[in-house]
Amino acid sequence: MLDTPADAQPDLRPGLMLCAYEPDLGWNEAGSDADTDWTPTGARLIPVRAEAPDSLARTLVERLRDPACRAALLVGRTSGEEDFLIQTRAENRLLNGKGRLVPTGPGVARAPAPALEMAQTLSEAGLKARLSSDTVTDPGNYLLYRVLCSLPDGPDAPLVGLLRVPDGQGSAITRAVRLAAEAMARHLSPLPRPRAA
């Protein structure tokens, strides 16, 4: 009978979801299968593939209910901008923009990601980045609002952010996504050790 190591250490790195919600947005220059070759320092990367906004929102919300998943970074395109944008809030809007997504919900919800640090990290790496409180009626706003409304109140709520990337940036998109994720990961604490039985 083989002995199993009794002292195998559990992975106590907090999970960070990364989701490029537009199917044709290749954030990783090495290809879609290469996203497992990199992980932000101090966190465990949880890639989430794009799907229809409604089902993707359910997937994101469900995964964030896992206490081991401590952050989510959504990635989408900017609208005619040349800069990388970190969106700081989401508006309570249906996908078509013609009504409120949550009738009794707040008009806007603020994203708890460290937006200023994310923008500074990108800028220090030579990428043009800025914060944006402007909202756009698109899947990014819809997903961000849905996720933010599902978070518990309090200091232990997961970090959630939205990075918008300009078209035609190639490898700069990969750098920006990784740098933004690294900035978020610096704010995550290791998971508590499981109690001995």
Side-chain angles (χ1 to χ4, degrees):
M1 185 165 148
L2 295 174
D3 290 331
T4 56
D7 58 350
Q9 296 296 316
D11 189 345
L12 298 179
R13 294 176 301 163
L16 187 154
M17 274 194 301
L18 180 55
C19 177
Y21 55 83
E22 297 177 60
D24 57 344
L25 178 60
W27 70 269
N28 194 320
E29 62 182 344
S32 60
D33 293 332
D35 50 15
T36 55
D37 295 341
W38 164 84
T39 191
T41 304
R44 180 175 41 86
L45 188 67
I46 305 171
V48 177
R49 300 214 180 269
E51 53 185 298
D54 194 50
S55 58
L56 180 55
R58 287 194 299 271
T59 298
L60 296 170
V61 167
E62 186 61 33
R63 292 204 179 192
L64 278 174
R65 287 194 178 122
D66 179 353
C69 186
R70 303 301 305 139
L73 177 60
L74 305 175
V75 182
R77 285 194 179 83
T78 61
S79 177
E81 296 277 348
E82 294 184 2
D83 297 348
F84 291 89
L85 304 179
I86 291 91
Q87 189 166 322
T88 59
R89 65 181 195 159
E91 191 173 358
N92 185 354
R93 282 310 206 191
L94 292 168
L95 266 174
N96 63 13
K98 295 185 177 177
R100 293 170 68 90
L101 176 62
V102 181
T104 58
V108 294
R110 299 211 172 271
L116 182 58
E117 183 176 335
M118 292 161 71
Q120 287 175 337
T121 300
L122 269 64
S123 294
E124 288 167 4
L127 301 171
K128 294 170 67 175
R130 63 185 175 85
L131 305 182
S132 176
S133 61
D134 296 335
T135 56
V136 180
T137 302
D138 72 346
N141 180 78
Y142 172 85
L143 290 168
L144 185 59
Y145 191 89
R146 284 271 307 261
V147 170
L148 293 177
C149 283
S150 75
L151 297 180
D153 290 328
D156 294 330
L159 298 179
V160 179
L162 170 56
L163 171 67
R164 294 187 181 272
V165 301
D167 283 327
Q169 294 289 326
S171 62
I173 292 176
T174 299
R175 289 180 61 218
V177 170
R178 292 183 177 189
L179 288 167
E182 293 277 358
M184 291 180 75
R186 288 193 288 271
H187 289 260
L188 303 178
S189 302
L191 301 174
R193 293 189 174 276
R195 296 184 180 186

